[in-house]
């Protein structure tokens, strides 16, 4: 019986394409030193507690899910060999950076000021987050997607980064599918569409647009997919 030949690395590179089998990122492991302290902290963030599991005295796993996220975190006893506090640059995507920061502050979490990256964003003296190594105070002046940040740490020093994204780069979203992670994200998208629609009406002579629902829908779908916005 002839054995199949192993795939060459060159073959893999020469035949790129989108994988046909879904591989959904489910869980990220967070290394902590005090399980109960970490449980209190992540509960205080308002994240959903999915479970607190034990197996005798040797193992304990706790799972939380951020609101609107399809991916969860787990931490506990004997769930990872990584050093506590070594998880850095963990991104939380939000549609309104100021509102997200205020909510964390209201929950008693210490959060940095909103900042955006300097011109050379990959090097610099600040915390080693992608887009955060040179921090310029305040949000991006034009509130462009991917450009405004705030950061916080858990009690062990694991580093989280809030990143404001209102529209995705082309190719990042299936243009045939538009979903919003929460009612708040949908409301913010409608507010941005309302502002843009007001500018649209001003350009068309100030007349009320009877078809504004269609315009809103087209704008929100295009913004979400990162395609050309209606004018």
């Amino acid at each position: 019986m002839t054995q199949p030949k192993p795939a060459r690395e060159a073959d893999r590179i020469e035949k790129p394409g989108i994988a046909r089998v879904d591989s959904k990122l489910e869980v990220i492991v967070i290394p902590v030193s005090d399980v109960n302290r970490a449980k209190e902290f992540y509960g205080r963030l308002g994240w959903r507690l999915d479970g607190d599991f034990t197996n005798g005295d040797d193992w304990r796993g706790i799972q939380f899910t951020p609101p609107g996220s399809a991916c969860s975190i787990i931490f506990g006893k004997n769930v990872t060999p990584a050093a506590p506090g070594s998880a850095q640059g963990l991104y939380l995507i939000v549609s309104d950076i100021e509102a997200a920061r205020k909510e964390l502050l209201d929950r008693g979490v210490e959060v940095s000021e909103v900042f955006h990256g300097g011109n050379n964003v990959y090097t610099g003296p600040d915390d080693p987050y992608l887009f955060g190594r040179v921090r310029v105070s305040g949000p991006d002046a034009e509130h462009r997607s991917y450009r405004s940040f705030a950061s916080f740490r858990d009690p062990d020093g694991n580093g989280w980064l809030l990143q404001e994204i209102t529209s995705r780069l082309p190719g990042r979203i299936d243009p045939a599918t538009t979903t919003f992670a929460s009612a708040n994200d949908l409301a913010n998208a409608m507010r941005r569409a309302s502002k843009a629609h007001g500018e649209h009406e001003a350009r068309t002579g100030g007349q009320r647009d009877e078809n504004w629902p269609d315009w809103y829908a087209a704008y929100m779908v295009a913004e979400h997919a990162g395609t050309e916005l209606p004018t």
Side-chain angles (χ1 to χ4, degrees), residues 77-117:
K77 181 180 181 180
N78 289 331
V79 299
T80 175
S86 60
Q88 299 295 324
L90 301 165
Y91 279 66
L92 293 169
I93 303 309
V94 299
S95 62
D96 186 326
I97 192 74
E98 297 286 3
R101 179 177 181 273
K102 182 180 184 301
E103 180 171 345
L104 289 177
L105 289 172
D106 290 344
R107 292 178 177 275
V109 179
E110 184 177 343
V111 190
S112 77
E113 296 292 335
V114 175
F115 65 91
H116 60 283

Side-chain angles (χ1 to χ4, degrees), residues 41-49 64-67 103-104 107:
F41 175 81
Y42 285 102
R44 185 152 41 95
L45 296 181
W47 295 9
R48 186 185 72 229
L49 175 61
F64 277 95
T65 302
E103 180 171 345
L104 289 177
R107 292 178 177 275

Side-chain angles (χ1 to χ4, degrees), residues 154-176:
D154 73 7
D156 283 287
N158 294 300
W160 292 89
L161 193 68
L162 301 176
Q163 182 182 36
E164 184 177 76
I165 297 179
T166 54
S167 62
R168 297 279 181 174
L169 291 172
R172 302 289 180 89
I173 294 289
D174 182 352

Side-chain angles (χ1 to χ4, degrees), residues 75-214:
F75 55 84
K77 181 180 181 180
N78 289 331
V79 299
T80 175
S86 60
Q88 299 295 324
L90 301 165
Y91 279 66
L92 293 169
I93 303 309
V94 299
S95 62
D96 186 326
I97 192 74
E98 297 286 3
R101 179 177 181 273
K102 182 180 184 301
E103 180 171 345
L104 289 177
L105 289 172
D106 290 344
R107 292 178 177 275
V109 179
E110 184 177 343
V111 190
S112 77
E113 296 292 335
V114 175
F115 65 91
H116 60 283
N119 290 331
N120 188 2
V121 297
Y122 297 104
T123 60
D126 296 330
D127 288 339
Y129 296 108
L130 184 63
F131 302 132
R133 293 190 179 187
V134 175
R135 299 187 174 195
V136 180
S137 180
D140 177 69
E142 300 175 35
H143 282 277
R144 293 169 294 179
S145 280
Y146 302 94
R147 302 298 181 94
S148 299
F149 306 88
S151 64
F152 68 94
R153 298 178 184 276
D154 73 7
D156 283 287
N158 294 300
W160 292 89
L161 193 68
L162 301 176
Q163 182 182 36
E164 184 177 76
I165 297 179
T166 54
S167 62
R168 297 279 181 174
L169 291 172
R172 302 289 180 89
I173 294 289
D174 182 352
T177 303
T178 303
T179 59
F180 295 93
S182 67
N184 183 62
D185 279 0
L186 176 58
N188 285 332
M190 293 180 71
R191 291 187 186 100
R192 294 190 297 272
S194 176
K195 179 181 177 182
H197 186 260
E199 297 169 354
H200 162 75
E201 286 187 328
R203 286 192 297 269
T204 56
Q207 298 297 316
R208 185 176 186 276
D209 180 9
E210 296 294 338
N211 292 321
W212 66 266
D214 294 336

Side-chain angles (χ1 to χ4, degrees), residues 7-23:
R8 296 181 302 130
E9 186 64 23
D11 290 337
R12 299 190 187 100
I13 295 173
E14 290 167 2
K15 299 177 181 179
I18 301 299
R20 295 181 180 275
V21 178
D22 288 349
S23 300

